Amino acid sequence: MGLRDLTAAGQIAAIRAGETSSAELVEAHLAAIAADDVDAFLAVDAEGARARAREIDAMPERPPLAGVPIGIKDALSVRDVVTTSGSRMLEGFRPVYTATCVARLEAAGAVVVGKTNMDEFAMGSSTENSAFKNTLNPWDHGRVPGGSSGGSAAAVAERQVPWSLGSDTGGSIRQPAALCGIVGMKPTYGAISRYGLIAFASSLDQVGPFARSVEDAALLLRHTVGRDPMDSTSLDWPGEISTPTATDLSGMRVGVVDELMGEGIEPGVRAAVDAALGTVEELGGTVVPVSLPSALSGLATYYVLAPAECSANLARFDGVRYGPVAPAANLLDQYETTRGDLFGPEVKRRIMLGTFALASGYYDQYYGRAQRVRTLMVREFADAFEKVDLLVSPTSPTVAFPLGDRTADPYAMYMADVCTIPVSLAGLPAISIPCGLSDGLPVGLQLAGPAFSENALLGAAHALEGALAFDTRPPGLVT
Ligand code: GLN
């Protein structure tokens, strides 16, 4: 087994045991990125990473994360490293500060090796909306890695980094984790500071980890959660994120969401999820059917609220404050030409949709009504968690789809998040773990819990991970 096959926890242990160094690990992963055939990264900071690794190797006492490399979604600002959010609107933009979550990881001893590809401004489910390039699925290069954090997911599956950060507004961590056969978690809304995350829809955006083990996801979470004075929606984390050790589910009531197990779910996905439910029972859990009637209104609700918020958030990109500017005869022309030329079609579609939904006269009919459905959803989840400890469903209704398959059909693309969006609207934590294969492609199982139930969720995910014994190595990958 090579260095790159170790999990992050394994790499930390190897450094501590004197079997390797941060410098050696960074070099091994940089070489893998250079030989990349899935196009996961948009920018690589090889020199910065090498310098930081040397610094950490020279420390008399190693920080907790010991100099292990990490990839960061390009939606997160890293000082002096080009950060584009996958958009020409920010081509060449170098932030003047680092996102709090990244700064916390750096302080804990993680080494940032680069920025990963993503759908433009995190809008999409396949990473094909990136203005720069497509990222390929490590399991099948003719297929998408999912999105919007597709680069972060592919980089971890391909062992170019042991772990990475992504952001999830409606599913952008969980869905690509499912499609790439790895672990991805969206924590409770407010758990991780959004300061330095380029905003898409602020009432939904959350940062979270990608990893090849539940233990690594917990470790990354431990070093990122907690209140940040720079983000007023961030929360004091109650207690600590502990290392998950559970090996069974005895006494756990596991609800299966009826509405997310039927129509639209591919038979192969359904079969893998059913098999995982059998494992839940073998581990001592009780499987209970649960109904969340509003779950199927999730997509419609999200596609009013998220565009409404994005139309306000993206107003700041006008060619004056950030990034490139289109030449024009006067200021109005300059705004129009810059936004017209530099935003991609999906981003423009959402800005127009959001502007329309917020227009006076339509506001109550669309935005107001969507907010009411969101409240209903929060209540339905609260009722469900009176009866069960956690809720499970497929993470994505299908396995990874072929590149180009859905680019002409926004609705087909939006469907990719039908199972993840309700949890996002309710602000709850959820984790996706790989639970099996369908036609040789990974299937993800989503586990969701009440707010602040991260430790319980990670514990249950850890027990299941042990029993399912999914091999995260894509076929043919040479390390
Ligand atoms: N795919 C969804 C969208 O396009 C979710 C994206 C996300 O979570 N950032 O909006």
Side-chain angles (χ1 to χ4, degrees):
M1 191 160 84
L3 283 176
R4 283 164 51 213
D5 292 310
L6 297 172
T7 60
Q11 295 186 12
I12 294 170
I15 294 178
R16 291 198 185 285
E19 293 159 10
T20 185
S21 62
S22 173
E24 189 182 6
L25 280 172
V26 164
E27 224 44 68
H29 289 92
L30 284 175
I33 297 170
D36 184 9
D37 48 20
V38 293
D39 264 337
F41 281 83
L42 284 176
V44 179
D45 182 21
E47 281 326 302
R50 288 187 177 114
R52 183 69 184 139
R54 279 193 300 270
E55 247 170 58
I56 295 178
D57 282 335
M59 287 179 182
E61 201 173 325
R62 293 227 170 232
L65 301 180
V68 166
I70 191 167
I72 305 292
K73 185 180 186 179
D74 205 33
L76 286 157
S77 296
V78 176
R79 190 182 159 144
D80 294 334
V81 178
V82 172
T83 297
T84 66
S85 211
S87 182
R88 296 225 177 274
M89 187 57 98
L90 286 172
E91 201 164 1
F93 172 67
R94 290 179 194 268
V96 293
Y97 65 89
T98 295
T100 301
C101 56
V102 178
R104 283 184 183 175
L105 289 173
E106 286 182 319
V111 176
V112 174
V113 294
K115 309 298 296 298
T116 59
N117 195 21
M118 56 180 285
D119 285 299
E120 184 175 11
F121 289 108
M123 298 173 195
S125 301
S126 66
T127 311
E128 292 164 297
N129 291 336
S130 165
F132 303 107
K133 60 183 179 185
N134 285 339
T135 293
L136 314 183
N137 190 308
W139 290 74
D140 176 345
H141 291 184
R143 291 174 189 264
V144 302
S148 64
S149 316
S152 279
V156 172
E158 189 76 4
R159 288 155 168 72
Q160 296 174 348
V161 279
W163 53 12
S164 62
L165 284 184
S167 67
D168 189 311
T169 303
S172 281
I173 293 174
R174 291 160 284 162
Q175 184 259 11
L179 271 44
C180 291
I182 59 169
V183 176
M185 186 170 200
K186 179 204 95 78
T188 303
Y189 181 77
I192 297 179
S193 167
R194 291 183 293 107
Y195 182 65
L197 171 67
I198 295 167
F200 163 15
S202 308
S203 77
L204 296 152
D205 296 342
Q206 263 303 281
V207 174
F210 285 101
R212 293 193 300 270
S213 77
V214 174
E215 181 190 6
D216 280 3
L219 190 55
L220 210 44
L221 207 56
R222 183 185 309 157
H223 290 283
T224 44
V225 294
R227 170 125 185 101
D228 171 16
M230 303 306 284
D231 173 4
S232 60
T233 64
S234 66
L235 303 163
D236 267 326
W237 190 258
E240 202 192 39
I241 301 288
S242 44
T243 305
T245 54
T247 52
D248 67 60
L249 299 172
S250 48
M252 273 226 168
R253 295 159 305 166
V254 178
V256 184
V257 184
D258 276 342
E259 288 76 3
L260 302 179
M261 289 295 279
E263 211 188 321
I265 308 295
E266 251 175 26
V269 169
R270 173 74 205 245
V273 170
D274 281 338
L277 292 173
T279 308
V280 167
E281 286 180 327
E282 281 162 27
L283 291 174
T286 315
V287 175
V288 193
V290 168
S291 175
L292 284 179
S294 66
L296 293 177
S297 309
L299 275 178
T301 309
Y302 175 89
Y303 279 98
V304 173
L305 297 179
E309 294 186 28
C310 100
S311 71
N313 274 327
L314 270 56
R316 75 192 72 185
F317 299 110
D318 54 10
V320 176
R321 284 168 280 194
Y322 310 90
V325 55
N330 58 52
L331 189 61
L332 187 61
D333 261 11
Q334 180 183 306
Y335 289 153
E336 286 180 358
T337 317
T338 303
R339 288 168 70 81
D341 289 355
L342 301 181
F343 280 141
E346 182 63 22
V347 172
K348 286 186 209 166
R349 181 180 297 125
R350 304 238 185 150
I351 292 173
M352 289 194 293
L353 202 62
T355 308
F356 177 80
L358 289 176
S360 67
Y362 292 115
Y363 182 93
D364 203 49
Q365 198 178 336
Y366 294 108
Y367 188 78
R369 187 174 295 185
Q371 286 289 33
R372 287 193 288 278
V373 178
R374 187 175 189 178
T375 303
L376 188 69
M377 224 169 253
V378 169
R379 287 199 196 122
E380 282 181 13
F381 272 105
D383 287 348
F385 288 125
E386 293 284 313
K387 296 184 215 101
V388 296
D389 302 297
L390 55 94
L391 287 169
V392 299
S393 71
T395 305
S396 155
T398 69
V399 291
F401 44 90
L403 285 154
D405 220 30
R406 300 195 188 175
T407 40
D409 182 354
Y411 293 112
M413 192 69 90
Y414 297 171
M415 279 306 291
D417 291 311
V418 66
C419 302
T420 49
I421 277 177
V423 181
S424 301
L425 287 167
L428 303 175
I431 187 168
S432 177
I433 60 167
C435 72
L437 295 175
S438 166
D439 288 334
L441 295 167
V443 174
L445 178 74
Q446 173 175 248
L447 286 73
F452 300 116
S453 67
E454 272 78 349
N455 280 328
L457 267 185
L458 287 159
H462 181 263
L464 270 168
E465 173 187 55
L468 292 166
F470 180 85
D471 183 359
T472 63
R473 171 183 282 272
L477 177 67
V478 182
T479 46

